[in-house]
């Protein structure tokens, strides 16, 4: 796939009302504008659920700030006439180096829910990681997908392992799902305090959020987790036993999400090739406030155990708001970049068309950036890593080995 598919012209979108929605979304220039519109559209519960972060929101804010503090060093006179944003993630061809991170309860934002996110991903060939706590069943979410679409399924291990085994058995029957994304950064739910709009807080593992009937927004229908847990999230999971147990119940490759130190990245690498990738993530700052931004962890890996990147695909998420953020993460060695809240805002702003706009807003500037200073292929960006590293060594100094 060369360049960015034009969402307006995609055959699966050849529907007049959808085209009208797409047109109205085109006027929104940035993810900030999509967030503003979603803030107007969403009921307070839906807004609060997406906006929330743990403690003082330090990690959530730092996730974005860290990208602003890295400057690009564009090179000139590089042939960029053709520019290809497609890549592979754990061997699966995808249209973008951007994936949708798992997010619970998308129907809070819009009735189209996770199936709507999936429809938008189909337009761009982007990978969608389905949350264990999605508000639609995995079968419904992948049901309308194009044959080329790539999905992951995110798993929270439940105290009663039989519950997770039953989920894995369902996932094994869905060929569109190419990997299990094991989230390991929330052994106990993060504590979200009251947000600026003074709404009761929620966490990502809460399996039931019912909006009050007096709220009239389309997102206010009775929204529940489609595959609810009875026993609750496990807090007793450990590396060896967990990975052995998963291997007994699925042959799908594993991506571990929520790695926050180079030491854990190193441990994950000892489980390669069964573990094919890791997502460096602080869960969007929703679990443990002052946990590091993924970029810091990536720099730690580059400094202390660069061999990890040869054994595993290293991805990041958290704080991505601009195409330049995507390019910076790729330059520093991320295989792909996940986006969370911005997708939920897109859904709240304009349903499927809003998510399409979100995905379009992220890569379009990446393409411009790549063309204006890098190279024609995203895989070629590796060439610039060293340069950025030298210039921004101060970021490495910011990596404090607290709690090592
Ligand atoms: C509303 C919401 C729900 C989330 N639910 C989950 C979840 O069910 N499982 C999970 O692994 N991560 C979950 N996350 C974390 C995201 O996968 C991702 O790590 C994070 O949102 C990335 O940061 P960003 O929102 O700044 O892009 C959730 C995040 C949000 C905002």
């Amino acid at each position: 796939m060369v360049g960015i598919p034009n969402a307006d012209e995609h055959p699966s979108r050849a529907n007049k009302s959808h085209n009208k929605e797409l047109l109205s979304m085109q006027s929104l220039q940035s993810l900030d504008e999509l967030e503003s519109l979603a803030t107007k559209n969403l009921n307070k519960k839906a807004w609060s659920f997406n906006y929330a972060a743990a403690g003082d929101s330090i990690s959530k804010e730092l996730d974005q700030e860290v990208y602003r503090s890295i400057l690009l060093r564009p090179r000139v006179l590089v042939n960029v006439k053709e520019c290809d944003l497609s890549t592979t993630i754990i061997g699966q061809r995808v249209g973008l180096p951007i994936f949708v991170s798992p997010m619970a309860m998308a129907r809070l934002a819009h009735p189209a829910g996770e199936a709507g996110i999936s429809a938008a991903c189909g337009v761009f060939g982007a990978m969608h990681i389905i949350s264990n706590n999605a508000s639609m069943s995995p079968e419904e979410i992948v049901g309308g997908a194009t044959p080329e679409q790539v999905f992951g399924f995110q798993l929270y291990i439940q105290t009663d392992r039989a519950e997770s085994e039953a989920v894995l058995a369902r996932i094994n029957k869905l060929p569109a799902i190419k990997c299990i994304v094991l989230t390991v950064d929330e052994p106990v739910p993060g504590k979200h305090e009251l947000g600026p709009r003074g709404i009761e807080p929620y966490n990502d593992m809460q399996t039931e959020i019912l909006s009050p009937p007096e709220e009239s927004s389309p997102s206010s229908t009775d929204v529940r987790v489609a595959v609810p847990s009875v026993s609750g999230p496990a807090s007793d999971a450990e590396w060896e036993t967990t990975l052995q147990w998963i291997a007994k119940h699925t042959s799908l490759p594993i991506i571990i999400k929520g790695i926050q130190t180079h030491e854990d990245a190193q441990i994950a690498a000892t489980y390669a090739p069964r573990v094919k990738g890791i997502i460096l993530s602080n869960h969007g700052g929703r679990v443990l406030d002052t946990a590091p931004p993924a970029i810091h962890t990536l720099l730690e890996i580059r400094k202390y155990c660069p061999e990890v990147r040869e054994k595993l695909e290293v991805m990041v998420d958290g704080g991505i708001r601009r195409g330049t953020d995507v390019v910076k993460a790729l330059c520093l060695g991320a295989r792909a970049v996940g986006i969370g809240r911005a997708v939920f805002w897109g859904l709240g702003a304009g349903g499927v068309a809003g998510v399409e706009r979100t995905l379009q807003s992220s890569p379009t500037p990446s393409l411009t950036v790549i063309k204006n200073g890098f190279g024609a292929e995203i895989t070629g960006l590796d060439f610039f890593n060293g340069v950025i590293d030298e210039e921004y060594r101060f970021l490495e100094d910011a990596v404090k080995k607290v709690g090592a």
Side-chain angles (χ1 to χ4, degrees), residues 49-50 63 101-104 131-133 154 156 183 204 257 281 283-284 286 317-320 338-342 344:
F49 181 55
N50 194 40
D63 278 0
S101 288
M103 273 179 305
S131 166
N132 198 153
N133 288 341
Q154 178 262 322
Y156 281 128
T183 295
D204 304 343
K257 174 172 182 279
S281 171
H283 214 109
R286 294 167 81 83
D317 80 8
I320 296 289
I339 44 180
R341 289 184 185 83
F344 206 95

Side-chain angles (χ1 to χ4, degrees), residues 33-96:
E33 288 184 29
L34 278 149
E35 177 173 342
S36 300
L37 180 56
T39 299
K40 282 190 203 134
N41 287 356
L42 290 177
N43 68 44
K44 288 181 180 178
K45 285 202 174 189
W47 178 86
S48 163
F49 181 55
N50 194 40
Y51 187 88
D56 295 312
S57 297
I58 292 169
S59 294
K60 179 187 170 186
E61 283 162 22
L62 202 53
D63 278 0
Q64 285 188 37
E65 270 166 40
V66 75
Y67 284 107
R68 290 196 201 109
S69 70
I70 302 170
L71 302 183
L72 291 165
R73 297 182 70 250
R75 303 295 302 272
V76 296
L77 288 174
V78 179
N79 183 348
V80 290
K81 197 168 173 212
E82 294 287 327
C83 197
D84 188 357
L85 285 184
S86 70
T87 185
T88 58
I89 299 180
I90 59 156
Q92 302 292 328
R93 171 92 2 220
V94 287
L96 297 176

Side-chain angles (χ1 to χ4, degrees), residues 288-359:
L288 179 65
D289 199 17
T290 70
I295 286 294
H296 281 201
T297 314
L298 184 57
L299 289 173
E300 270 193 30
I301 293 171
R302 292 173 61 95
K303 184 165 178 174
Y304 299 112
C305 50
E307 71 285 354
V308 163
R309 286 181 55 233
E310 283 153 32
K311 296 184 183 150
L312 296 173
E313 291 190 4
V314 179
M315 292 161 263
V316 295
D317 80 8
I320 296 289
R321 303 292 285 197
R322 292 279 178 188
T324 43
D325 301 342
V326 176
V327 171
K328 288 168 191 175
L330 298 178
C331 284
L332 288 168
R335 178 90 209 167
V337 171
I339 44 180
R341 289 184 185 83
V343 169
F344 206 95
W345 295 137
L347 201 55
V352 178
V355 180
E356 285 180 28
R357 188 65 186 143
T358 300
L359 288 170

